[in-house]
Amino acid sequence: MKKAAVIGAGMMGHGIAQLFAMAGLDVVLVDVNEEILDKALKEINWSLGKLVEKGKLTDENAKKTFLRVKATTNLEDACKDVDFVVEAVPENLELKKQVFSRLDKASPNHTILATNTSSLSITEIANATQRPEKVVGMHFFNPPVLMPLVEVVKGEKTSDETVETTINLAKRLGKTPALVKKDVRGFIVNRILVSMFTDACHAVRRGEATMEMVDATIKYKAGLPMGAFELADYLGLDIVYSVSKVMEEAYGERAKVCPLLEQLVKEGKFGQKSGKGFYDWTVGRPRIPFKLAGKYDVERVYAVSINEAAWMVYEDVADPQNIDTAVKLGTAWAQGPCELADNLGIDNVLAKLKELYNKYGEEVYKSCPLLEEYVGKGWLGKKTKRGFYTYE
Ligand code: 3HC
């Protein structure tokens, strides 16, 4: 594999293109206008500069890497001689299908077409091409240059060879691949993040806590790198909203989109990239007061995340090991949700979910039957030497 194309030069697209170039591949970055491409090239240059500053890349290497990135508005021209394509255009199924139909016609027969979709169906996107066996999900995490995970998602017709090539490519880009066995909405990591965010957002909507209380608790008590609202703003509320909508369609009431998010998106407040979102980013990264840590119930953050992980095990989407690795590498949590459940005691997690469900009657708190089953069998986690994992 020598040459790749990345379609869409936004936050994800330009980061993915940079990764290809850093791995020694020539890469063409494609978008609809020169202005977006110029901005993307500037961002890549900035990021390479940061890596030099941190001693992760030599100055000479950074210069060579930058020269390997070309930019164009001509998709057909960009794809005519590439071995691999990653699509990273906005999260809209119709748009992605149109792009894939064009990619299919423009690319050589051997070329694998990957989508960086956060939540949409790989199978449906693949069906817009004549080569569904060569279409795969390759889901990076923001910022792609720093986050070590790539979820590799198999559509119904994706061949084993395509999956294997994509896994090897992810490794070549310096990433740890996590295989998602089923083409489910939100794959692994976004299901966990959306469940945590949805609970937090509804809590703020009900006036139970402020977003600063939630974020301070998540950051300083749970020890996650960013609060739920801070992370949503960082990722882009337009993106979080479209992912949440897809999840709502797939999982119903359990993933009910929070009206606060909907309102901000309607007002064009997309978070960091537009200056305003839940926080005001025009004055820099939000300062989340340490003194508010613990003013929100941290057990609740854990319980909803663990419940979603349990659903994934129950539906055979991924095993506990894969879920934990994906969450730790995709979003920098110190412990994955299954490990966390075993450490906290699955009986305690279940009790918290029942308390929340009795209080609010909302589906997001309805416990997964797997948790009930484990508790019924006495599999409470580390303390009984059996939970999501087995202990000696
Ligand atoms: N390239 C190079 N360097 C970068 C960079 C990039 N793209 N982005 C940030 N940096 C640098 C910063 O400039 C900073 O350098 P400095 O020390 O010289 O100032 C350094 O990295 C550390 O950054 P910060 O001090 O700003 O902040 P943190 O220590 O909090 O690190 C973070 C930033 C790595 C983003 C960390 O906060 C984190 O891991 N957050 C969680 C991110 C996450 O969960 N991502 C996944 C979300 S889900 C997703 O993407 C899926 C999609 O489908 C929605």
Side-chain angles (χ1 to χ4, degrees):
M1 197 178 297
K2 291 203 171 69
K3 192 170 176 190
V6 177
I7 317 300
M11 222 143 84
M12 297 304 286
H14 73 70
I16 297 167
Q18 180 181 341
L19 284 172
F20 276 105
M22 283 166 61
L25 282 100
D26 289 325
V27 59
V28 196
L29 189 54
V30 181
D31 213 312
V32 289
N33 70 51
E34 299 289 347
E35 206 183 320
I36 301 174
L37 290 169
D38 284 349
K39 187 166 174 269
L41 290 176
K42 280 197 189 100
E43 299 271 4
I44 293 176
N45 208 17
W46 171 84
S47 172
L48 289 170
K50 270 282 161 198
L51 297 177
V52 172
E53 200 182 300
K54 307 259 165 181
K56 292 190 179 151
L57 208 62
T58 63
D59 197 30
E60 198 195 336
N61 251 337
K63 284 188 181 122
K64 280 191 187 155
T65 301
F66 191 64
L67 290 176
R68 281 196 281 271
V69 185
K70 302 279 175 286
T72 177
T73 53
N74 189 332
L75 179 144
E76 277 68 24
D77 197 39
C79 294
K80 65 179 189 291
D81 57 352
V82 294
D83 306 305
F84 201 97
V85 181
V86 182
E87 163 278 316
V89 305
E91 202 66 356
N92 172 314
L93 186 60
E94 282 317 307
L95 174 66
K96 289 200 191 262
K97 281 179 165 173
Q98 281 168 25
V99 169
F100 268 75
S101 164
R102 284 175 68 189
L103 290 175
D104 189 31
K105 293 185 187 98
S107 311
N109 288 339
H110 74 277
T111 307
I112 290 178
L113 308 177
T115 171
N116 178 53
T117 180
S118 303
S119 56
L120 296 169
S121 162
I122 309 303
T123 306
E124 281 194 58
I125 294 171
N127 285 342
T129 73
Q130 302 298 316
R131 61 176 99 187
E133 74 289 352
K134 287 200 165 65
V135 176
V136 66
M138 191 178 196
H139 183 219
F140 290 82
F141 291 81
N142 200 359
V145 174
L146 300 186
M147 304 312 283
L149 182 77
V150 169
E151 287 175 334
V152 176
V153 193
K154 207 171 171 331
E156 269 168 29
K157 297 181 191 150
T158 312
S159 71
D160 290 344
E161 196 187 336
T162 298
V163 169
E164 199 186 321
T165 308
T166 309
I167 284 179
N168 288 336
L169 175 65
K171 290 181 185 162
R172 186 168 163 194
L173 301 182
K175 303 295 172 191
T176 302
L179 182 64
V180 186
K181 289 194 271 182
K182 283 190 184 165
D183 184 14
V184 294
R185 310 290 52 82
F187 315 132
I188 299 175
V189 176
N190 277 339
R191 280 182 66 164
I192 303 288
L193 287 179
V194 167
S195 63
M196 177 181 77
F197 173 77
T198 303
D199 165 54
C201 197
H202 284 296
V204 171
R205 172 182 63 80
R206 289 189 211 104
E208 292 165 54
T210 63
M211 65 183 182
E212 288 86 357
M213 287 176 188
V214 174
D215 276 4
T217 303
I218 288 178
K219 250 176 110 108
Y220 308 120
K221 271 219 139 197
L224 308 192
M226 287 179 168
F229 295 95
E230 181 188 13
L231 180 60
D233 270 359
Y234 175 73
L235 296 174
L237 296 187
D238 50 338
I239 294 172
V240 175
Y241 180 66
S242 44
V243 172
S244 302
K245 270 302 218 196
V246 172
M247 307 266 286
E248 186 183 63
E249 270 165 38
Y251 304 109
E253 287 293 304
R254 193 167 103 222
K256 199 160 168 245
V257 176
C258 179
L260 296 183
L261 171 66
E262 201 149 29
Q263 186 56 35
L264 287 171
V265 172
K266 269 194 197 136
E267 290 168 15
K269 293 179 178 158
F270 296 154
Q272 184 184 24
K273 64 182 162 195
S274 70
K276 293 222 164 102
F278 285 104
Y279 291 100
D280 181 0
W281 292 74
T282 56
V283 291
R285 188 171 167 179
R287 286 165 180 260
I288 296 160
F290 184 76
K291 63 175 194 282
L292 297 179
K295 300 269 179 206
Y296 186 64
D297 181 2
V298 73
E299 303 293 334
R300 170 173 175 167
V301 177
Y302 297 147
V304 287
S305 312
I306 291 167
N307 200 31
E308 196 59 36
W311 280 108
M312 279 187 257
V313 177
Y314 187 66
E315 294 160 356
D316 194 30
V317 172
D319 54 36
Q321 186 103 43
N322 256 356
I323 296 171
D324 284 346
T325 304
V327 173
K328 286 192 284 188
L329 299 181
T331 187
W333 292 20
Q335 290 184 75
C338 301
E339 289 170 309
L340 191 59
D342 279 2
N343 287 332
L344 292 170
I346 297 176
D347 49 339
N348 297 326
V349 174
L350 189 61
K352 177 52 75 178
L353 287 167
K354 285 191 187 302
E355 175 197 318
L356 292 166
Y357 189 68
N358 286 339
K359 189 164 174 194
Y360 303 111
E362 291 190 7
E363 286 292 302
V364 61
Y365 307 115
K366 199 165 187 183
S367 48
C368 170
L370 189 79
L371 296 176
E372 309 265 1
E373 184 192 319
Y374 282 3
V375 172
K377 288 200 279 199
W379 293 5
L380 308 183
K382 263 195 179 152
K383 61 188 171 190
T384 58
K385 298 197 187 306
R386 184 70 170 92
F388 281 95
Y389 296 95
T390 305
Y391 303 86
E392 288 310 313

